[in-house]
């Protein structure tokens, strides 16, 4: 594992890595006990009170073809580490981790540009670990504590990162195809009717598959759609 920089409180671990990207090495991790301005996908707020595991990882891959798939690799690593503690844990495309239908982890990945080129990618992860209650964020959420699991945040982080680095070289070389099988094993929505939202109006359909590129294949009334980004409403 790369070096870890820890803060008791910070605005956002993603912000720190984005601001210091050029001086920090590939593999650097920033953790915080609390975030005062934790951010989620689609400009949402990520409530970051004491008890959760909040960390961001900086990666500087050799080539850029498969950058989006590193986020899915992190989702898979989270799921693999957490399912050992709570078996009813699974993935919701593209990279949420749910337990019993409630959100347990979320990932916000952000690219860092320098001179028009991608200098690095920040993969920010929030895991609800020890929170006894969670604020209402408009969707069902849970924590390991609420599921009856007492977890050590440091051991959990070590385990997550072990799974992440184990498959990193294969994903860097081949993209999502390298993790397609273990990912789909943990994605219980194939054949299910869902809708996908990505800012515009939702698209309804039946999930056909997750492609070798990591995209969602959705059968809709007007034919098959390949979805690159979005929020699955299940
Ligand atoms: C989501 O599900 O919308 C993604 C949530 C990502 C939250 C994490 S917590 C650590 C890192 N710092 C942030 O500000 N956000 C990410």
């Amino acid at each position: 594992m790369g070096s870890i920089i820890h803060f008791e409180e910070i605005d956002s671990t993603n912000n720190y890595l984005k601001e210091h990207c050029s001086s920090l090495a590939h593999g650097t991790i920033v953790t915080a006990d609390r975030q005062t301005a934790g951010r989620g996908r689609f400009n949402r707020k990520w409530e970051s009170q004491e008890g959760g595991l909040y960390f961001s990882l900086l990666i500087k891959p050799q080539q850029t073809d498969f950058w989006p798939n590193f986020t899915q690799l992190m989702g898979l690593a989270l799921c693999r580490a957490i399912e050992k503690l709570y078996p009813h844990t699974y993935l919701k495309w593209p990279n949420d981790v749910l337990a019993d239908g409630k959100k347990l982890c979320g990932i916000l990945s952000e690219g860092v540009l320098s001179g028009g080129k991608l200098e690095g990618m920040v993969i920010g992860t929030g895991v609800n670990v020890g929170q006894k209650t969670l604020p209402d964020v408009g969707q069902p959420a849970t924590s390991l504590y609420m599921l009856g699991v007492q977890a050590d945040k440091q051991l959990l982080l070590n385990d997550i990162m072990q799974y992440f680095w184990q498959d990193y070289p294969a994903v860097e070389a081949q993209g999502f195809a390298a993790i397609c099988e273990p990912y789909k094993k943990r994605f219980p929505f194939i054949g299910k009717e869902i809708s996908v939202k990505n800012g515009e109006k939702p698209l309804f359909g039946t999930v056909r598959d997750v492609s070798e590129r990591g995209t969602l294949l959705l059968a809709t009334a007007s034919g098959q759609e390949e979805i690159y980004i979005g929020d699955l409403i299940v």
Side-chain angles (χ1 to χ4, degrees), residues 153-166:
K153 286 196 288 173
Q154 188 56 53
L155 294 180
L156 181 59
L157 176 60
N158 291 350
D159 211 25
I160 294 165
M161 292 317 301
Q162 204 162 333
Y163 282 119
F164 182 88
W165 291 122
Q166 163 191 303

Side-chain angles (χ1 to χ4, degrees), residues 21 52 58 68-69 83 89 105-106 116 155 170:
C21 177
L58 176 66
N69 301 128
E83 70 194 10
T89 303
C105 316
L155 294 180

Side-chain angles (χ1 to χ4, degrees), residues 14-226:
N14 268 33
N15 290 356
Y16 184 91
L17 281 181
K18 282 167 74 182
E19 280 155 24
H20 298 86
C21 177
S22 56
S23 61
L24 293 171
H26 169 72
T28 303
I29 290 176
V30 174
T31 58
D33 294 336
R34 301 178 293 278
Q35 298 182 115
T36 53
R39 293 182 289 110
R41 295 170 72 222
F42 304 111
N43 287 325
R44 288 188 288 239
K45 189 175 174 203
W46 183 262
E47 295 289 345
S48 310
Q49 71 272 47
E50 197 98 22
L53 170 62
Y54 311 110
F55 72 95
S56 297
L57 165 72
L58 176 66
I59 56 169
K60 297 184 174 179
Q62 311 283 324
Q63 52 116 342
T64 55
D65 294 2
F66 304 122
W67 283 58
N69 301 128
F70 293 113
T71 312
Q72 291 170 309
L73 171 60
M74 181 59 85
L76 178 62
L78 288 166
C79 202
R80 281 176 153 154
I82 295 172
E83 70 194 10
K84 293 195 290 193
L85 304 171
Y86 191 77
H88 310 285
T89 303
Y90 50 94
L91 289 164
K92 188 177 80 146
W93 182 92
N95 45 50
D96 279 351
V97 177
L98 305 190
D100 297 342
K102 297 175 182 163
K103 185 152 165 167
L104 193 57
C105 316
I107 307 175
L108 172 68
S109 288
E110 298 181 280
V112 185
L113 289 170
S114 171
K117 280 179 65 182
L118 267 172
E119 183 182 22
M121 179 176 172
V122 174
I123 306 176
T125 303
V127 185
N128 296 330
V129 178
Q131 294 100 317
K132 295 194 168 76
T133 56
L134 288 165
D136 185 2
V137 287
Q139 67 171 312
T142 192
S143 71
L144 286 173
Y145 179 91
M146 290 157 74
L147 294 166
V149 177
Q150 308 261 351
D152 179 290
K153 286 196 288 173
Q154 188 56 53
L155 294 180
L156 181 59
L157 176 60
N158 291 350
D159 211 25
I160 294 165
M161 292 317 301
Q162 204 162 333
Y163 282 119
F164 182 88
W165 291 122
Q166 163 191 303
D167 287 328
Y168 182 89
V171 172
E172 190 174 37
Q174 304 157 40
F176 187 76
I179 52 163
C180 193
E181 200 190 310
Y183 182 100
K184 286 205 305 193
K185 216 175 108 189
R186 292 167 175 82
F187 176 68
F189 297 100
I190 293 173
K192 299 262 157 60
E193 287 194 350
I194 54 108
S195 56
V196 186
K197 248 182 112 176
N198 67 0
E200 301 142 35
K201 61 179 183 149
L203 200 59
F204 296 93
T206 305
V207 178
R208 282 279 167 259
D209 209 350
V210 178
S211 77
E212 294 260 302
R213 283 199 291 277
T215 55
L216 188 79
L217 303 179
L218 191 70
T220 71
S222 52
Q224 181 160 292
E225 298 271 350
E226 183 170 14

